[in-house]
Amino acid sequence: MQLRYQFRLYPTAGQRLSLARVFGCARGVYNDALRAREIARSEGLPVPKAGDLSKLLITEAKRTPERAWLGEVSAVVLQQSLRDLDIAYRNFFDGLKGKRPRMGAPRFKSKRDTRQSVRFTANARWRITPGGKLSLPKIGDLEVKWSRALPSQPSTVTVVKDSAGRYFASFVIETGPGEELPQTTAEVGIDLGLTHFAVFSDGRKISSPRFLRRAEKKLKRTQQALSRKQKGSANRAKARLKLARAHARVTDARREFHHQLSTRLIRENQAISVEDLCVKGLVRTRLAKSVHDAGWSAFVGMLEYKAARYGRTFARVDRFFPSSQLCSVCGFKDGPKPLAVREWTCGNCGTVHDRDVNAAINIKTEGRKTVAAGRAETQNACGG
């Protein structure tokens, strides 16, 4: 399992200038390589190989007056920039072949892009100092805010500057199963919604925090202030940064809420079942802003990887499963109901149901069946 660990960096003024130089050099090499490939394609020539591009755009370019500044940064970062372009093209063509979701063709990077990143591999000889600082070649020792210890020694580090002007060190680490939590008999089904973020099969309800909705007035004022600034001015740059920081606070609060709730559920339950919602379809409706604000996909993703890491059982119930139409007591299918109907009485056994709690119970039952069917299929395959 690959896990990403991200920590805040606090570079000095001089280190920020050095990082800006690294971002610019990596962007220049990326754009030069993309331009070379596009020219070859338009003229019907073979696609340049990565080795040829490296020699032409890095090694030889450093000797020219126009690209002499490439020698001021680590060559490893420039090589990784070429690698990123190869990955972008591979993902693009795999999308055309149906091997992965479709994505656009690689595009040129702009110095005005508010998010910048570069990657240092082991060849760059970066290291974590005994004092806990991140030492990067030709940049120096950067102060890091460590929130936890890394489970193993990473081989690469990605330095990211986000839209809010913050710097982060991102480590992707290959890990095995984590420390298994104590076994428990508790199981839970989760019905995700908008009024209540999550309704559990035991009747508990978690209200939706609505982080974006709560911050809308402030975001609106900040956006209006940005719109009044003259394009290209220093005041506009300051206003843009202020708006980006306001959005970052909303994103951080939502992520923290997802982490705390998912961790609590993993600790308390041996099995978790969630409905596989069609988020892409829902964001095309009038509920789009509320769906984005809830962040269901991120939350379910956290539940899935934490369950795999800590020895819990996780199940996704098919989105077409009629969880709101079935009676959780007798199994009678009572038909679809408008969203305004929050309580209903079973036409077969007469049980009065809370719509969301009933759906969560049905999701838990169906999730149990899904897990059992998966285990049976695995055993048959091994037996065969």
Side-chain angles (χ1 to χ4, degrees):
M1 179 188 300
Q2 285 189 335
L3 293 179
R4 181 180 297 278
Y5 290 78
Q6 187 165 280
F7 304 95
R8 183 79 180 269
L9 293 176
Y10 293 92
T12 63
Q15 290 169 343
R16 286 197 293 270
L17 289 175
S18 298
L19 286 170
R21 187 181 302 116
V22 174
F23 293 142
C25 290
R27 181 177 63 248
V29 170
Y30 183 96
N31 288 343
D32 288 344
L34 178 56
R35 189 177 297 108
R37 293 190 62 151
E38 289 298 305
I39 291 174
R41 181 187 63 81
S42 62
E43 295 179 356
L45 300 175
V47 176
K49 295 182 179 179
D52 296 333
L53 288 175
S54 176
K55 182 179 179 181
L56 176 66
L57 302 178
I58 299 177
T59 307
E60 295 181 1
K62 289 180 181 179
R63 303 190 182 104
T64 65
E66 296 81 6
R67 290 288 188 271
W69 38 266
L70 292 176
E72 299 176 3
V73 303
S74 171
V76 173
V77 171
L78 307 181
Q79 296 286 354
Q80 292 303 309
S81 190
L82 294 178
R83 198 172 192 180
D84 290 342
L85 180 62
D86 284 339
I87 294 173
Y89 267 111
R90 189 183 309 124
N91 291 340
F92 170 62
F93 289 122
D94 285 348
L96 295 179
K97 295 174 184 176
K99 296 181 181 179
R100 56 167 294 141
R102 282 204 171 199
M103 60 186 304
R107 63 176 183 83
F108 291 101
K109 294 184 178 181
S110 170
K111 65 179 181 180
R112 294 181 179 83
D113 289 341
T114 56
R115 187 183 187 278
Q116 307 279 350
S117 67
V118 289
R119 187 165 63 255
F120 295 83
T121 63
N123 294 336
R125 297 181 182 178
W126 67 271
R127 64 190 180 90
I128 299 173
T129 67
K133 292 189 175 183
L134 178 64
S135 180
L136 299 175
K138 299 187 179 182
I139 296 175
D141 297 347
L142 284 74
E143 184 180 348
V144 186
K145 180 72 172 180
W146 299 103
S147 56
R148 68 189 70 186
L150 293 173
S152 62
Q153 180 63 33
S155 59
T156 65
V157 57
T158 301
V159 178
V160 179
K161 180 185 178 184
D162 69 2
S163 299
R166 302 175 300 177
Y167 293 85
F168 295 92
S170 178
F171 304 92
V172 176
I173 298 178
E174 193 77 32
T175 63
E179 181 182 352
E180 290 198 6
L181 297 172
Q183 295 285 319
T184 177
T185 58
E187 298 182 16
V188 68
I190 307 173
D191 181 55
L192 299 174
L194 296 177
T195 303
H196 292 97
F197 176 78
V199 177
F200 304 136
S201 51
D202 57 9
R204 290 179 296 159
K205 296 183 179 182
I206 303 294
S207 297
S208 182
R210 300 182 178 180
F211 295 107
L212 179 62
R213 295 288 187 182
R214 282 161 43 190
E216 265 187 327
K217 288 185 178 179
K218 184 175 181 179
L219 290 172
K220 182 179 179 180
R221 290 195 300 268
T222 310
Q223 180 66 61
Q224 288 172 338
L226 173 63
S227 300
R228 287 193 290 266
K229 300 296 185 291
Q230 183 178 355
K231 290 187 178 180
S233 67
N235 283 337
R236 184 177 177 86
K238 293 177 184 178
R240 187 210 63 77
L241 193 60
K242 187 175 181 180
L243 177 62
R245 286 173 177 167
H247 277 288
R249 284 192 288 270
V250 172
T251 302
D252 291 346
R254 184 187 298 116
R255 186 187 300 113
E256 181 67 13
F257 168 73
H258 288 163
H259 270 299
Q260 289 185 0
L261 181 58
S262 59
T263 299
R264 192 176 77 193
L265 289 171
I266 291 296
R267 285 175 176 168
E268 294 176 351
N269 300 279
Q270 187 65 35
I272 300 99
S273 301
V274 185
E275 187 176 8
D276 186 18
L277 296 169
C278 181
V279 177
K280 285 187 177 180
L282 289 171
V283 296
R284 298 192 188 103
T285 68
R286 59 184 178 84
L287 301 174
K289 184 182 289 188
S290 296
V291 171
H292 282 303
D293 194 12
W296 293 326
S297 295
F299 173 70
V300 173
M302 289 179 187
L303 279 176
E304 188 168 17
Y305 88 75
K306 290 178 183 180
R309 192 178 184 204
Y310 295 109
R312 300 309 202 198
T313 301
F314 177 82
R316 288 179 185 261
V317 174
D318 189 271
R319 67 188 60 170
F320 298 110
F321 174 68
S323 58
S324 298
Q325 302 179 30
L326 295 174
C327 172
S328 58
V329 176
C330 67
F332 179 70
K333 188 173 181 179
D334 216 6
K337 303 163 190 64
L339 285 175
V341 177
R342 308 317 301 169
E343 286 190 357
W344 57 281
T345 303
C346 176
N348 183 49
C349 66
T351 304
V352 178
H353 292 292
D354 178 291
R355 179 192 183 109
D356 297 329
V357 174
N358 176 72
I361 295 172
N362 287 328
I363 289 171
K364 182 181 76 170
T365 305
E366 185 66 16
R368 192 182 298 150
K369 294 178 182 177
T370 302
V371 171
R375 289 174 179 168
E377 185 178 345
T378 302
Q379 290 175 356
N380 292 336
C382 293

